Amino acid sequence: MAALKPFAMPKWGIEMTEGTIAEWLVAEGEPFERGKVLTAIETDKITNEVEAEAPGQFARIVATPGQTYPVGALLAVLADGPATDAEIEAFLSTFKAADALGSAGRDTAPPVPPEPAPAAAPAATTIPDDVKISPAARRLAEDRGIDVGAIAGSGKGGRISLQDVDQAGRPPAAGYGGAPVSIAVEDGDIETVYASPLAKRLARQHGINLSGMPGSGPRGRICKADVLAKLPPAAAPAPAPTMSQAPAAMRPAAEIVPMDKIRRIVARRLTEAKQAIPHFYVRMEARADALVALRAQANLFLGARISINDFIVRAAALALVEEPECNVQVHGDTIHRFAYADVAVAIASDKGLVTPIVRNAEALLPQEIGERTKVLIARAAAGRLSHEDMDGGSFTVSNLGMFGVDGFDAIINPPQGAILAVGGSRRVFAEQADGSGAFESRIAFTLSCDHRAIDGAAGARYLAALKRLIEAPEALFRR
Amino acid sequence: MAQMMIREVIVDTIRSEMRRDPDVMMLGEDIVGGMGTAGGPEAIGGIWSTSTGLWEEFGSNRIIDTPISESAIIGSAAGAALAGKRPIAELMFADFVGVCMDQIWNQIAKFRYMFGGKSRCPVVIRLIYGAGFNAAPQHSQAVYSMMTSMPGVKVVMPTTPADTKGLLTQAIRDDDPVLFFEHKALYGVKGEVPDGDYTIPFGHARQVRAGEHVTIVAMGMMVGLAERAADLLAKDGIGCDVIDIRTTSPLDEEAILDSVELTGRLVVVDESPPRCSVAADICAMVARRAFAALKAPPEMVTPPHTPVPFARELESAYLPSPPKIMDAVRTVLAYR
């Protein structure tokens, strides 16, 4: 009789959910020593060799090289000696994959409470029609793969209830009992005073005689308050903290406003984005004095009204061309790269948050971006943005600088690969290149990247390019 | 304090109340005993010996031996009570309460309400109940659950000699109708009884055992079984809070709820069949008012929904017992 153990897909790092068996380096039934390399497993990031933690052999190899398996999945059955097929089959039928986030790998998570191995296969089962069981109990038992044959139903004629099935699927209750306990009642058998147990205990503690005391509890029962009233007053009690606010009942109830359609869509998409996309954030500040001066000059010479944001959109687009790894959309397992930069601009309108697109922003001069953006803002305010105005884009610029915020982190607008959050211009006293100190204007940028497509270094290179363009803004006017 | 049997406590209490108050009287079948069968008053004091010596002391005007007619006994008692007396009526077998149900249910229980609170009907009906004597379905029943569901009467179930004295005195002095249930099997139970005037107000449960794992609520004959079960479980380290509710109406809800809030687990032991029983009533009350405290569904230990069987073996299988109570306690503790 060999002792069998599962050899399961390990979990290396928090984001690993599956791995691919590259090859098996030990054959079924071939004994190996501790430290022997058993297999190589590829993940999204790395390929690792797995060494034997103890001498043994594979009683059965389950996983096929080249195939991908979730974390915790059974890859092979380890044995300390030769095992019979029957033993292996019995082991396989009771194996239960550990939770993907559980204790399967090297990341030790809190242990999952031990579930009793279900008598039948854990997969969903079908219960014969002639079993006496309530409809909800049948569904639960089928879903959880619980063997109802082992349940003694608590209903009429042994009918099985939902509670019976629920109980059968739980681990046994903590045991009670052990050393004898005393259950004697302290007041003895014959009662002459009718008081609550708490009042009696207080009376014993303070040596108060309850007989003849009038009770204010139900049916004249002496209660805690009656006993406490007999106690000598304690030293002046600390004054109770006063409520500075009106009681909740006095305040008007909250106004309940149902979400309108746009708000519902925004809520759903942002929730999905924040939950599904592995965001990471890169931050950088850029000196904005040159940009501010150039904008004043340009508006004067061109007679235009270019905003700081128009320059930033232009810079963001040029930086995307420079750093194409950030100029992407993510669609499932594929990454779409673009030769042009369609940059979305986040606009807070009365109708809600919208992100229309400035197309080919890399090819537009700041004043052209400004004109395009004004059109989009007007359409957003009128609620007349078309599908074409909104569709696509690989990148969003969200600017809250006009509100004076220092900076913030934005949620990616899928399927775009990244979003740039722009803070306000701040005056900062800083060391200059010549070692002297002077005030300068700075804008803080936070780039949120979808880590499925963009790595940290690419995000950092992108921000460096952006900073260079902002700090030497003349380039923004070059076609 | 004197050591007395419950049977002696009942005679003693009635005697002292009759001495104290000339309006107290008693009536029932054979309570003098064999009256006239041998040509004279052969007072044996009733088949339960709960009126021994009363006829000799108080005479035929206050101790009335009646014909075999429960309707007549209860009807007369109701009339006497309305006329200012404090009658104690004995139903030799509680099972026959059915034939005087109109007198109890439609008359005695309703007088105070129907006359705008201006009338009172201070009658005590002693009902001798309970199984365990191989006496078959018509002489063994626990009918208190049915009577508890009836507004307008108080339902009292003593379990110890001391409680019998305190509760019976209270019942006789009470201005409202009281149904006083005496279990046949408890008449021989001996215990300490306080001397002098001793009353127990209705609606105050008695804590019999103090444990922290499971609350066992019981009444009447069932209290002793619950005590036995609790003592055996305590040896295994399981502590049961045992509560004798003493009166099923009014019910000491606070005592039950306070205990369940501590233990989180409830077993109710009841000698009447389970449907619409005191046990079902208490389980419902706890489920409704202490749901948050419960760690397991409440359990009931009751006979099955059948008449009391005649055969000894079937009768003992029918009745609650300490092993059945222990099983129920272990069931609520095993709830996952």
Side-chain angles (χ1 to χ4, degrees):
Chain A
M1 180 92 194
L4 301 180
K5 276 168 60 179
F7 180 77
M9 179 61 73
K11 184 168 173 62
W12 295 323
I14 191 75
E15 70 216 62
M16 176 170 171
T17 57
E18 57 182 26
T20 306
I21 300 292
E23 59 183 322
W24 289 105
L25 299 164
V26 171
E28 225 173 70
E30 177 191 332
F32 50 73
E33 288 306 309
R34 182 165 184 270
K36 163 82 178 158
V37 177
L38 302 177
T39 181
I41 294 175
E42 291 170 3
T43 72
D44 316 347
K45 290 193 154 180
I46 48 169
T47 301
N48 241 2
E49 291 174 339
V50 182
E51 292 177 1
E53 290 175 2
Q57 58 181 266
F58 283 128
R60 176 75 56 86
I61 288 178
V62 178
T64 318
Q67 293 284 319
T68 302
Y69 297 90
V71 166
L74 185 69
L75 304 177
V77 180
L78 287 168
D80 57 0
T84 66
D85 277 356
E87 280 172 13
I88 298 168
E89 290 305 324
F91 179 83
L92 288 173
S93 71
T94 55
F95 176 78
K96 198 162 178 295
D99 190 310
L101 299 172
S103 53
R106 293 179 189 175
D107 282 345
T108 43
V112 221
E115 296 262 342
T125 56
T126 308
I127 297 168
D129 286 345
D130 60 350
V131 173
K132 283 187 179 176
I133 184 167
S134 77
R138 175 184 295 273
R139 214 174 310 127
L140 183 68
E142 287 180 347
D143 287 353
R144 293 195 188 162
I146 292 172
D147 175 17
V148 295
I151 300 176
S154 62
K156 265 187 192 162
R159 189 168 189 258
I160 297 167
S161 69
L162 184 75
Q163 180 167 299
D164 296 333
V165 175
D166 180 60
Q167 287 287 297
R170 289 172 185 270
Y176 282 85
V181 293
S182 164
I183 53 172
V185 177
E186 287 185 40
D187 321 288
D189 218 12
I190 294 167
E191 232 179 333
T192 50
V193 163
Y194 302 96
S196 72
L198 181 57
K200 285 181 188 166
R201 199 158 67 230
L202 282 169
R204 273 198 300 274
Q205 266 172 16
H206 296 283
I208 290 175
N209 182 9
L210 293 178
S211 63
M213 184 189 288
S216 66
R219 291 180 291 277
R221 191 201 308 267
I222 300 167
C223 62
K224 175 185 163 190
D226 302 325
V227 178
L228 291 179
K230 293 277 176 188
L231 293 182
T242 52
M243 295 276 282
S244 59
Q245 283 183 333
M250 307 277 287
R251 294 189 292 161
E255 184 193 3
I256 296 168
V257 184
M259 287 187 181
D260 62 25
K261 194 170 164 225
I262 291 185
R263 172 64 35 194
R264 280 206 304 273
I265 293 171
V266 167
R268 181 174 54 75
R269 291 194 54 170
L270 289 179
T271 304
E272 284 170 7
K274 186 73 179 179
Q275 287 175 349
I277 298 176
H279 283 64
F280 74 87
Y281 307 94
V282 194
R283 299 174 215 286
M284 199 177 272
E285 284 188 344
R287 205 177 150 170
D289 301 273
L291 181 66
V292 171
L294 181 69
R295 171 186 174 234
Q297 258 180 9
N299 281 349
L300 193 64
F301 290 138
L302 298 171
R305 293 193 55 186
I306 312 168
S307 70
I308 290 284
N309 196 57
D310 299 329
F311 284 98
I312 291 173
V313 171
R314 166 77 170 149
L318 289 178
L320 282 175
V321 174
E322 261 189 64
E323 191 52 51
E325 275 188 54
C326 292
N327 188 17
V328 296
Q329 288 182 351
V330 185
H331 294 272
D333 287 345
T334 59
I335 296 170
H336 297 199
R337 295 182 191 275
F338 300 92
Y340 48 85
D342 285 356
V343 176
V345 187
I347 298 172
S349 78
D350 293 345
K351 312 277 179 196
L353 175 68
V354 289
T355 53
I357 314 273
V358 178
R359 304 220 178 261
N360 285 88
E362 86 288 353
L364 300 178
L365 294 178
Q367 62 269 33
E368 292 164 339
I369 288 175
E371 284 159 22
R372 178 74 191 144
T373 310
K374 278 189 197 73
V375 172
L376 293 173
I377 290 171
R379 284 189 196 164
R384 300 178 64 95
L385 283 169
S386 68
H387 182 67
E388 287 72 38
D389 291 330
M390 310 278 283
D391 189 40
S394 58
F395 191 89
T396 299
V397 173
S398 180
N399 188 344
L400 292 179
M402 60 293 257
F403 298 108
V405 303
D406 288 348
F408 64 102
D409 299 343
I411 299 173
I412 293 166
N413 181 18
Q416 299 176 0
I419 184 168
L420 183 69
V422 184
S425 171
R426 291 179 298 132
R427 295 292 286 168
V428 175
F429 190 79
E431 185 184 355
Q432 305 298 306
D434 60 4
S436 66
F439 278 97
E440 59 183 47
S441 295
R442 280 195 192 163
I443 296 177
F445 297 95
T446 304
L447 182 70
S448 311
C449 299
D450 183 342
H451 210 330
R452 293 175 299 175
I454 301 171
D455 291 332
R461 283 196 301 271
Y462 176 88
L463 277 187
L466 182 76
K467 178 185 168 86
R468 184 162 39 70
L469 287 163
I470 298 284
E471 293 186 346
E474 296 76 17
L476 299 178
F477 278 104
R478 265 172 236 139
R479 283 272 185 203
Chain B
M1 291 245 182
Q3 280 277 338
M4 292 172 94
M5 281 193 282
I6 285 186
R7 156 183 298 129
E8 296 166 343
V9 172
I10 289 172
V11 184
D12 196 58
T13 304
I14 294 173
R15 182 186 294 115
S16 51
E17 285 303 291
M18 287 184 77
R19 284 177 184 166
R20 187 187 59 79
D21 182 349
D23 284 335
V24 178
M25 53 179 288
M26 189 177 170
L27 65 172
E29 285 165 31
D30 263 354
I31 60 167
V32 175
M35 181 86 111
T37 45
E42 298 82 16
I44 59 165
I47 69 158
W48 305 117
S49 301
T50 51
S51 47
T52 312
L54 296 179
W55 177 80
E56 287 87 340
E57 180 171 351
F58 300 106
S60 298
N61 282 340
R62 294 181 69 191
I63 302 293
I64 303 173
D65 221 12
T66 68
I68 302 185
S69 169
E70 281 79 7
S71 2
I73 298 168
I74 303 303
S76 315
L82 284 178
K85 297 290 180 190
R86 290 188 174 270
I88 302 166
E90 183 184 292
L91 285 188
M92 190 191 285
F93 288 97
D95 309 68
F96 302 110
V97 74
V99 296
C100 44
M101 197 59 118
D102 185 65
Q103 284 84 343
I104 297 174
W105 185 39
N106 267 338
Q107 311 303 333
I108 289 172
K110 308 288 199 286
F111 285 140
R112 185 188 277 283
Y113 296 83
M114 289 176 67
F115 298 143
K118 289 179 182 158
S119 101
R120 55 195 188 109
C121 188
V123 53
V124 177
I125 303 174
R126 293 179 40 234
L127 302 101
I128 291 87
Y129 80 102
F133 287 82
N134 186 219
Q138 298 165 326
H139 294 80
S140 303
Q141 296 170 81
V143 295
Y144 52 81
S145 285
M146 213 159 51
M147 312 311 279
T148 303
S149 70
M150 189 187 299
V153 293
K154 295 170 183 176
V155 181
V156 182
M157 301 180 68
T159 53
T160 67
D163 278 8
T164 303
K165 174 167 182 173
L167 292 167
L168 184 55
T169 309
Q170 176 75 24
I172 295 169
R173 297 180 187 179
D174 203 287
D175 278 346
D176 286 310
V178 176
L179 306 184
F180 197 85
F181 278 88
E182 299 162 16
H183 200 290
K184 301 166 189 116
L186 294 178
Y187 277 143
V189 170
K190 256 192 180 168
E192 300 258 294
V193 178
D195 301 323
D197 223 30
Y198 179 60
T199 58
I200 297 172
F202 294 154
H204 289 276
R206 178 172 66 101
Q207 190 171 23
V208 182
R209 295 288 188 273
E212 58 182 21
H213 296 134
V214 177
T215 299
I216 306 179
V217 175
M219 70 295 297
M221 175 70 184
M222 301 297 105
V223 174
L225 307 183
E227 277 181 60
R228 279 269 300 286
D231 290 344
L232 290 171
L233 287 165
K235 288 182 186 155
D236 286 349
I238 296 170
C240 296
D241 225 22
V242 181
I243 295 173
D244 171 6
I245 54 176
R246 280 178 170 159
T247 59
T248 59
S249 182
L251 178 66
D252 191 348
E253 297 185 357
E254 298 78 20
I256 298 169
L257 291 169
D258 286 358
S259 174
V260 171
E261 285 173 9
L262 180 78
T263 63
R265 298 180 177 90
L266 174 68
V267 171
V268 189
V269 193
D270 188 343
E271 191 180 334
S272 54
R275 301 292 316 282
C276 305
S277 61
V278 171
D281 180 62
I282 290 172
C283 286
M285 186 271 293
V286 167
R288 199 163 57 82
R289 306 230 344 244
F291 186 76
L294 284 175
K295 296 171 187 156
E299 274 291 325
M300 311 201 303
V301 183
T302 69
H305 187 66
T306 66
V308 185
F310 172 61
R312 284 192 189 286
E313 294 75 10
L314 289 178
E315 188 183 36
S316 58
Y318 170 93
L319 285 172
S321 62
K324 288 181 188 172
I325 299 168
M326 291 165 73
D327 280 352
V329 167
R330 294 192 195 279
T331 300
V332 295
L333 284 172
Y335 188 80
R336 298 161 175 192

